[in-house]
Amino acid sequence: METFLNSIHGRYASDKKTILGLCMNKYSYALSDLARELGTSIPKITRIVTEMVNEGYLVEVGKLESASGRRPSLYGLNPDAGFFVGVDVNKDFLIVSVTNFPGRQVALVDNIPYTLESTESSVKGLCKVVLEAVRKEKIDPSRVRGYGVNLTGRVNRRTGYSYSYYIGEEKPIAQLLEEGFGQKVIVENDSRAMAYGEYMAGVAGNADTFLFLNVGWGLGMGMVIDGKLFYGKSGFSGEVGHFPLLDNNRVCQCGKMGCLETGASGSALHRIVLEKLSSGRSSILSSAYRKGEEISLDSILEAVEKEDVLAIECVEEIGSVLGRAVAGLINIFNPDLVVIGGRLSSTERYLMPPLRSAVNRLSLNLVNSDTQIKVSSLGKSAGAVGASFLSKSRLLSELS
Ligand SMILES: [Zn+2]
């Protein structure tokens, strides 16, 4: 596999990598600044930058204003020199986001039908589907410098193993994906990637310490602490859905009892709505329920949008339980910000008031007065956006 870094060779390879790393962090440089950063002479930097312009990595992005009247050129990344692809793997569809070299989103493709299974052919199939989507967006896959792929559940980013997909095989899933894409791949937990998306391009840009709650079918959390994603020893941090907080005697999908997820998640909402329908409560879902049709989480979220009172009541119930958990998290982390994201964030109007009320009631005032609570601004695309930026950050760490 010829990775992007291997493709930079020749006499000045190491200086070129340093210059790319500098330009990925900062918009533009004059030759004199680059010479100072690299501790080298202006003639040598001029030679290297000229080569990099000819090779398509850098472009002149403007002129520096100067008092002397001479206006030296400023150089920055050529936006078309490289792309990073983020893939969010959902139960039966993929979302793909493409970010260019300087970090601007150039494509977002939602709802690509695909169901990932734990087989080698399914993982390779995913690569094909993603590459096709990238080509359709008129992006040449040979210019993609890295991929980030989000998977639900426990993922060890360092070893590349997922504990939900392709389990127990000798090769980690990250290696299979690299073979399929022909480039470096990072696998990441979906909630953590969503948190990173909000941090790099969403609602959390100015927060140094923040918590992202992914309220989907389950409940996950991504944490940025002191400006860095927090992983824990094996990368499994953030399993807040399995916090044994509730005294409800309910068995969680993890096999334990009273996990937070059994009262504050999409699956909890689904269960509560069905319980109320079976007890005879009226709703716009009643007739479908009586006919024995399947009531999906999506149909419940649609009912909320149509202002169905029963569905709204159930969302409020979830908001109140979630708020209790957020109060506890605020007391522990004293974060700048808590972001509520995931599928249930579409019910913001009804989810947030009881959530905020529980936080006000239950968290320590001195601690919570420093913390803002916001709803995700990237919505469904947070994970794919985050994955593309994680891939960019990986390359950046290898360049510096
Ligand atoms: Zn659990």
Side-chain angles (χ1 to χ4, degrees):
M1 182 174 77
E2 158 123 318
T3 64
F4 175 54
L5 285 183
N6 298 339
S7 73
I8 304 172
H9 36 65
R11 195 147 59 113
Y12 301 126
S14 146
D15 291 331
K16 286 180 181 174
K17 287 175 190 169
T18 308
I19 292 171
L20 282 178
L22 287 169
C23 291
M24 279 169 87
N25 264 331
K26 196 182 143 192
Y27 180 62
S28 61
Y29 281 91
L31 290 175
S32 53
D33 295 332
L34 282 176
R36 198 174 320 117
E37 290 280 354
L38 272 73
T40 186
S41 68
I42 300 262
K44 185 177 166 195
I45 273 295
T46 309
R47 265 200 309 278
I48 298 173
V49 168
T50 306
E51 274 191 34
M52 290 179 80
V53 169
N54 292 338
E55 287 159 353
Y57 294 122
L58 298 182
V59 284
E60 193 185 318
V61 292
K63 301 266 189 199
L64 192 68
E65 293 299 331
S66 80
S68 69
R70 273 191 63 244
R71 298 180 67 212
S73 297
L74 289 169
Y75 293 91
L77 294 172
N78 177 354
D80 296 331
F83 300 93
F84 302 93
V85 175
V87 183
D88 196 44
V89 179
N90 294 274
K91 202 165 142 246
D92 44 20
F93 64 94
L94 310 173
I95 304 177
V96 170
S97 171
V98 186
T99 301
N100 71 5
F101 226 23
R104 196 173 60 80
Q105 187 181 55
V106 292
L108 178 67
V109 195
D110 193 356
N111 270 328
I112 305 169
Y114 197 79
T115 302
L116 179 61
E117 284 158 17
S118 276
T119 62
E120 183 160 347
S121 65
S122 181
V123 177
K124 292 275 162 78
L126 178 135
C127 298
K128 263 194 206 141
V129 170
V130 171
L131 287 170
E132 217 168 272
V134 167
R135 279 192 203 98
K136 248 193 199 162
E137 293 298 311
K138 312 243 176 315
I139 292 161
D140 178 357
S142 73
R143 295 214 159 182
V144 175
R145 309 309 188 192
Y147 292 79
V149 178
N150 303 334
L151 303 166
T152 58
R154 283 164 281 280
V155 171
N156 190 325
R157 173 176 158 169
R158 196 171 38 80
T159 60
Y161 280 98
S162 154
Y163 293 81
S164 305
Y165 294 99
Y166 210 60
I167 314 149
E169 302 295 330
E170 274 178 23
K171 267 189 215 174
I173 190 167
Q175 193 183 328
L176 270 190
L177 289 165
E178 286 186 345
E179 289 168 13
F181 285 130
Q183 262 304 342
K184 284 269 178 89
V185 174
I186 276 186
V187 289
E188 185 56 277
N189 164 271
D190 53 354
S191 303
R192 202 175 287 129
M194 288 164 103
Y196 200 63
E198 294 292 344
Y199 188 53
M200 296 304 287
V203 82
N206 298 320
D208 221 22
T209 293
F210 85 97
L211 311 175
F212 179 92
L213 286 164
N214 175 16
V215 198
W217 181 254
L219 176 67
M221 180 167 74
M223 291 167 269
V224 167
I225 293 180
D226 293 335
K228 275 196 177 149
L229 274 180
F230 182 77
Y231 283 86
K233 180 167 166 62
S234 341
F236 301 152
S237 69
E239 290 289 355
V240 73
H242 304 289
F243 194 111
L245 187 73
L246 307 177
D247 207 7
N248 61 6
N249 240 0
R250 283 194 189 283
V251 179
C252 177
Q253 48 141 342
C254 72
K256 306 206 187 290
M257 293 253 268
C259 290
L260 177 59
E261 189 170 298
T262 62
S265 64
S267 56
L269 175 66
H270 185 251
R271 191 200 69 241
I272 295 168
V273 168
L274 288 188
E275 280 169 4
K276 297 205 190 222
L277 287 171
S278 84
S279 74
R281 288 281 311 273
S282 297
S283 155
I284 55 175
L285 299 165
S286 298
S287 102
Y289 178 76
R290 277 197 300 270
K291 281 189 221 153
E293 288 171 19
E294 196 205 328
I295 307 288
S296 65
L297 179 57
D298 279 336
S299 61
I300 293 171
L301 296 177
E302 273 166 34
V304 174
E305 243 164 66
K306 291 179 187 155
E307 301 179 28
D308 179 65
V309 175
L310 177 83
I312 289 172
E313 259 178 47
C314 298
V315 166
E316 287 172 339
E317 219 177 290
I318 301 289
S320 172
V321 179
L322 192 58
R324 199 200 308 181
V326 171
L329 291 168
I330 288 175
N331 288 350
I332 296 169
F333 288 97
N334 185 205
D336 301 0
L337 175 68
V338 177
V339 180
I340 307 295
R343 282 165 85 186
L344 262 60
S345 62
S346 70
T347 66
E348 164 183 3
R349 191 165 171 201
Y350 309 106
L351 184 76
M352 295 308 282
L355 189 153
R356 288 183 195 280
S357 158
V359 169
N360 289 338
R361 201 170 62 244
L362 299 170
S363 64
L364 300 170
N365 282 344
L366 194 62
V367 186
N368 85 28
S369 62
D370 282 341
T371 302
Q372 284 189 296
I373 302 175
K374 291 184 182 170
V375 175
S376 152
S377 64
L378 296 177
K380 260 177 101 179
S381 66
V385 171
S388 68
F389 277 102
L390 281 165
S391 169
K392 180 174 181 238
S393 300
R394 179 202 55 77
L395 178 64
L396 192 55
S397 70
E398 288 183 8
L399 285 169
S400 48

